[in-house]
Amino acid sequence: MSSEMTTQPQYYHDEIVKRLVQFSVAWAVLAMAAGVFVAAELLWPTLDMGQPWLSFGRLRPLHTNGIIFGFGVSALMATAFYSVQRTSHVPLFAPKLAWFLCYAWQLLVLSGGLSLLAGMNTTKEYAELEWPFDIAIALLWVSFGIVFFGTISRRKIRPIYISNWFYGALIIVIAMLHIVNNLELPVTWTKSYSLYAGAQDAIVQWWYGHNAVGFLLTGGFLGMLYYFLPKHAGRPIWSYKLSVVAFWAFTYSYIWAGPHHLHYNAIPEWVQSLGMVMSLVLLAPSWATLINGVMTVSSAWEKLKTDPALKFIVLSLAFYGLATFEGPMMAIRSVNVVSHFTDWTIGHVHSGALGWNAMITYGTFYYLMPRLVGTELYSKRLANVHFWLALAGTMLYIIAMWAAGVSQGLLWLSLDETGELAFGFRDIMSSMAPYYGLRLLAGLIFLGGTLLMAYNFYMTTRSRKTVKVEPPVVDPAFGVV
Amino acid sequence: MNALKLHKKLEENNALLIFGILLVSSLGGLVQVLPSVYQESLRTPEANTRPYSALELAGRDIYISEGCSTCHSQQIRSLVAEVERYGPYSRAGEFVYDRPFLWGSKRTGPDLHRVGGKYSDDWHRIHLVDPRSVVPTSIMPGYPWLAEKDLRSDDIQAKLRGLRSLGHPYSDEEIENAPAQLEGRKQIDALIAYLQMLGTGFVEPESGAGDSSE
Ligand code: HEM
Ligand code: HEM
């Protein structure tokens, strides 16, 4: 890495970042609208109007894939590209490839979504897309890695900042999981059979499924946290050492926890027990990060009053703490007996998804968008309204699903004095309607807030150009030789 | 603090960091997942478990394509109440011909692992087209198009051959005759054939407890 002295100025490639943020917001709106629609279908099952592509079983995977791969991954790419440039003090490596990735990824999510509606589906959760898409995902993921690690290897500053390890782990581990879990034999252009069968397929799938949550929905977004939280708060991360230890503990222990999705299922007992123990262990690195985050903002409480973006991020930390506490509890076999297969799981998912993933992303976007175009946010008031809508929507969603899930779980299991089942399945099903109604309302509120944000960004960036930012000159003492 | 020194190296070297992450994150999979993939007992069928017939396989693929598994599990846990409600708990050996597995993660509807033989074909036909005509409070979607659309028969041989290459024991004759089994039928016929064979791969030894009833 020689420091060639070029005279013509080099700028950060922030246009790509802006475009990815815009795509991410668009996917958030679309995929959450799909979530609201499937929530409504559980109340009014004839909403699909006899149309196959509006049917619950096809739309639900569209909701999860659209949100995770459209909204989530676009947001992660945007923030990874923004922060890796600034922590390396160089523009993106291979910007043309980055632009290609930016658009090709959207095309992939769009066509993949349409294929789900057409009934192409492997049913392996969060890996529902069929084999042609699996190959495309793998190739695009490699280009993500090339751009990201390429930028790091050209960096002008010696240490690789902590946020980049989390983004790096996202890229590497998801690649490994994706390839292994999707090994399948194509039999036609639209259909394949998994190379694993039955119980083995289940074990591989949940090794993937849990760690897609771990390294994408948790680890990837922790990368976002480690860069943008200190930026927002205007002070460095509270303990760098703690973040180092937490990173390696996290990377090591997450991988083992998958079998907590298969308690009391037809897989070996030792695999389940190991999964449970490692899930409890996971609490430690998860909360180490929580503590680090809270301590970092603890001296910036003043800013909280005026900065809606920071409010979102601090709230997201609270929900991160909740979801990573609840998760290990649900991984205990005797608790899982009640929670498994019920709406409790759905509540847990969305406490993480809405409270943690969506909120931290919103907070980050509120920080980014005005800066990218060099102006103030169009309306701080709207952003504050959005904050309260997001909080209300999330709380209502979680509470409704807890109530639904715990009662479902207990009623399914309850036996009367003679040892017979106390309640029929259909009676329990019918009693869920009020909770599903509340969840629908919660979804509408949350979606409403997201629409406000989209409008706010539109007004902020309308007819404005992305500002050009030059990397700063690096003090040779810290630079790469 | 030797560990931190080692870390300092990692933190300043891109390639080492990549390698470190790969190493640390693959340990769990190697120790926990890999042995399961080679474990014989997870690949040995139960005495009564057989590969799906051409019609059942086509039905299973419709079940997959419609996403029935987003609402229905096929996994009876080894719990008293569960055995009481659905029947004998699920054995690993019953799933050896399942690609992919369809155990599910959410029970909006009841478990279907032992639904085979529980209802008549006609009941399923009516229920699938319009669930509320037999269960007035049902929140299951209707599938009217399954009763109208013809079953494809042009891809079944490729499917059976593919599965044979993965070790499912189909004979040349079965593959030869497969399209004829599907021709002239509707999609719903295949789906019902699949539903009716679910859970029949396991027969409880004579004195077994846990008889299933409503
Ligand atoms: C220490 C951290 C965590 C642990 C130990 C954990 C544990 C669990 C457990 C035990 C389940 C229920 C499995 C079942 O009964 O089927 C579950 C489901 C789930 N969790 Fe977590 N959780 C953690 C954090 C998170 C976070 C932060 C998110 C972020 C969104 C999340 C997303 C999910 C999802 C999407 C599912 C549903 C999977 C499915 O069935 O489709 N989890 N988790
Ligand atoms: C407006 C907001 C949202 C609404 C109304 C909504 C609604 C729903 C509904 C109705 C389901 C199906 C539940 C069931 O089968 O019983 C679902 C599942 C799911 N949603 Fe959402 N959702 C929203 C936002 C999100 C977000 C932001 C994420 C991720 C970041 C997310 C991730 C998921 C996942 C992973 C599942 C599958 C859970 C499982 O299989 O256990 N959702 N959602």
Side-chain angles (χ1 to χ4, degrees):
Chain A
M1 263 154 285
S2 65
S3 46
E4 337 113 50
M5 282 288 154
T6 41
T7 39
Q8 106 218 70
Q10 286 205 315
Y11 300 108
Y12 289 146
H13 295 287
D14 286 344
E15 190 75 32
I16 302 177
V17 175
K18 189 174 96 186
R19 190 54 41 83
L20 281 165
V21 171
Q22 287 164 338
F23 279 129
S24 174
V25 173
W27 284 118
V29 171
L30 280 174
M32 282 182 204
V36 167
F37 193 80
V38 291
E41 284 185 327
L42 289 179
L43 282 164
W44 302 291
T46 52
L47 262 187
D48 61 23
M49 297 170 289
Q51 296 300 316
W53 60 278
L54 281 178
S55 184
F56 183 92
R58 299 192 189 191
L59 265 184
R60 188 192 196 266
L62 179 81
H63 164 59
T64 57
N65 283 274
I67 245 335
I68 296 177
F69 297 110
F71 165 66
V73 170
S74 301
L76 290 170
M77 284 179 182
T79 54
F81 289 165
Y82 183 86
S83 60
V84 76
Q85 298 184 99
R86 280 153 179 85
T87 50
S88 305
H89 292 254
V90 283
L92 281 185
F93 175 71
K96 288 219 179 78
L97 186 62
W99 270 115
F100 169 74
L101 174 65
C102 166
Y103 285 105
W105 187 261
Q106 315 308 325
L107 200 67
L108 176 90
V109 180
L110 184 70
S111 54
L114 293 177
S115 80
L116 290 170
L117 295 187
M120 276 169 79
N121 179 355
T122 68
T123 75
K124 290 175 79 163
E125 279 182 86
Y126 322 126
E128 282 96 346
L129 297 179
E130 263 296 352
W131 68 272
F133 297 101
D134 290 338
I135 295 174
I137 291 176
L139 293 177
L140 291 179
W141 207 254
V142 170
S143 20
F144 185 15
I146 293 174
V147 175
F148 183 80
F149 290 112
T151 310
I152 291 186
S153 65
R154 294 208 312 186
R155 74 191 182 284
K156 293 271 164 54
I157 204 145
R158 201 177 292 143
I160 303 172
Y161 182 65
I162 181 85
S163 63
N164 291 325
W165 314 348
F166 278 98
Y167 285 121
L170 159 77
I171 294 170
I172 294 166
V173 181
I174 293 293
M176 168 176 87
L177 297 168
H178 171 77
I179 291 169
V180 174
N181 186 44
N182 283 302
L183 290 178
E184 54 214 352
L185 181 78
V187 288
T188 66
W189 281 103
T190 57
K191 176 76 191 164
S192 67
Y193 290 118
S194 171
L195 284 199
Y196 319 97
Q200 296 174 336
D201 197 33
I203 294 172
V204 175
Q205 154 62 23
W206 284 113
W207 168 76
Y208 165 87
H210 176 69
N211 292 299
V213 167
F215 288 85
L216 205 158
L217 294 179
T218 309
F221 286 82
L222 284 177
M224 209 186 271
L225 181 82
Y226 272 114
Y227 181 80
F228 289 95
L229 179 69
K231 277 278 162 207
H232 268 298
R235 42 184 49 76
I237 199 79
W238 177 64
S239 164
Y240 201 75
K241 233 182 244 176
L242 185 61
S243 65
V244 170
V245 176
F247 174 79
W248 290 112
F250 170 92
T251 306
Y252 172 76
S253 44
Y254 230 105
I255 290 285
W256 298 79
H260 65 218
H261 293 265
L262 298 167
H263 280 329
Y264 291 99
N265 285 11
I267 63 163
E269 187 107 10
W270 71 269
V271 179
Q272 300 179 27
S273 307
L274 191 59
M276 163 174 142
V277 172
M278 291 310 280
S279 304
L280 289 167
V281 169
L282 250 185
L283 187 59
S286 305
W287 276 44
T289 301
L290 175 67
I291 292 167
N292 220 346
V294 170
M295 296 308 283
T296 306
V297 281
S298 68
S299 41
W301 292 127
E302 270 310 301
K303 266 191 133 178
L304 263 186
K305 291 197 195 117
T306 52
D307 185 355
L310 188 59
K311 274 201 272 197
F312 268 108
I313 296 206
V314 170
L315 189 65
S316 80
L317 265 179
F319 280 107
Y320 168 80
L322 176 73
T324 53
F325 178 75
E326 185 187 26
M329 295 306 115
M330 290 168 70
I332 298 172
R333 294 184 79 198
S334 53
V335 178
N336 195 268
V337 163
V338 178
S339 75
H340 191 56
F341 289 139
T342 71
D343 280 302
W344 185 348
T345 305
I346 307 299
H348 164 70
V349 169
H350 290 85
S351 72
L354 303 176
W356 157 242
N357 299 129
M359 297 246 198
I360 190 171
T361 308
Y362 293 169
T364 301
F365 285 179
Y366 275 121
Y367 171 91
L368 268 182
M369 276 312 228
R371 276 175 179 73
L372 285 172
V373 294
T375 178
E376 291 282 306
L377 189 65
Y378 166 71
S379 165
K380 235 182 199 180
R381 247 190 73 195
L382 276 187
N384 274 319
V385 174
H386 178 197
F387 174 81
W388 290 109
L389 289 178
L391 177 57
T394 307
M395 288 308 297
L396 192 58
Y397 196 123
I398 305 176
I399 291 170
M401 288 300 100
W402 273 337
V406 173
S407 50
Q408 244 167 15
L410 293 176
L411 293 176
W412 285 346
L413 292 173
S414 57
L415 303 173
D416 63 18
E417 316 81 64
T418 60
E420 298 277 314
L421 292 171
F423 304 95
F425 185 92
R426 286 167 187 153
D427 296 329
I428 304 173
M429 170 198 76
S430 311
S431 68
M432 289 299 121
Y435 306 118
Y436 288 171
L438 284 181
R439 188 253 308 270
L440 175 61
L441 179 65
L444 283 169
I445 295 174
F446 200 88
L447 177 63
T450 306
L451 284 168
L452 282 188
M453 178 182 77
Y455 171 73
N456 212 343
F457 287 164
Y458 173 72
M459 297 304 286
T460 307
T461 55
R462 196 174 54 150
S463 66
R464 282 208 170 77
K465 283 217 166 68
T466 309
V467 264
K468 292 195 160 174
V469 182
E470 254 181 281
V473 182
V474 180
D475 180 341
F478 298 101
V480 177
V481 226
Chain B
M1 291 305 289
N2 255 341
L4 275 179
K5 245 191 223 144
L6 168 74
H7 192 269
K8 195 145 178 51
K9 259 200 192 138
L10 281 178
E11 147 187 283
E12 294 185 358
N13 187 321
N14 202 4
L16 263 185
L17 184 61
I18 294 176
F19 179 73
I21 291 173
L22 201 56
L23 183 76
V24 170
S25 67
S26 55
L27 289 176
L30 290 175
V31 177
Q32 190 187 35
V33 176
L34 204 61
S36 322
V37 174
Y38 288 98
Q39 191 172 333
E40 266 318 302
S41 70
L42 296 182
R43 301 201 269 178
T44 316
E46 288 287 325
N48 280 48
T49 305
R50 58 168 176 81
Y52 296 102
S53 73
L55 189 64
E56 290 157 359
L57 184 71
R60 188 171 197 272
D61 288 342
I62 292 167
Y63 185 98
I64 288 172
S65 164
E66 293 298 347
C68 307
S69 56
T70 56
C71 286
H72 290 289
S73 57
Q74 290 188 16
Q75 182 67 210
I76 302 166
R77 294 180 292 171
S78 47
L79 306 170
V80 179
E82 206 127 298
V83 171
E84 187 86 358
R85 193 181 296 278
Y86 299 117
Y89 67 87
S90 305
R91 269 60 173 191
E94 296 179 79
F95 301 101
V96 294
Y97 300 115
D98 281 16
R99 294 173 197 269
F101 80 113
L102 292 173
W103 296 0
S105 71
K106 177 76 205 305
R107 270 185 197 151
T108 303
D111 189 276
L112 295 181
H113 187 205
R114 307 242 180 254
V115 82
K118 183 175 171 186
Y119 300 102
S120 69
D121 286 3
D122 287 335
W123 188 91
H124 281 301
R125 203 174 297 276
I126 299 170
H127 181 257
L128 285 170
V129 170
D130 180 12
R132 274 150 297 284
S133 62
V134 275
V135 185
T137 54
S138 179
I139 55 168
M140 170 163 151
Y143 292 89
W145 60 89
L146 294 181
E148 289 154 18
K149 285 194 189 156
D150 291 327
L151 193 56
R152 274 182 75 168
S153 58
D154 57 340
D155 56 1
I156 190 69
Q157 289 187 323
K159 288 179 174 180
L160 292 177
R161 260 187 244 112
L163 288 175
R164 182 160 73 176
S165 72
L166 294 174
H168 297 206
Y170 290 113
S171 66
D172 287 338
E173 206 187 332
E174 276 173 294
I175 295 179
E176 187 63 35
N177 296 336
Q181 278 191 43
L182 311 191
E183 268 153 34
R185 294 186 188 249
K186 300 293 179 194
Q187 294 190 347
I188 202 167
D189 300 319
L191 183 55
I192 293 172
Y194 170 63
L195 289 173
Q196 294 293 28
M197 77 82 69
L198 271 176
T200 56
F202 173 78
V203 177
E204 196 128 43
E206 276 309 293
S207 62
D211 187 28
S212 71
S213 50
E214 271 298 292

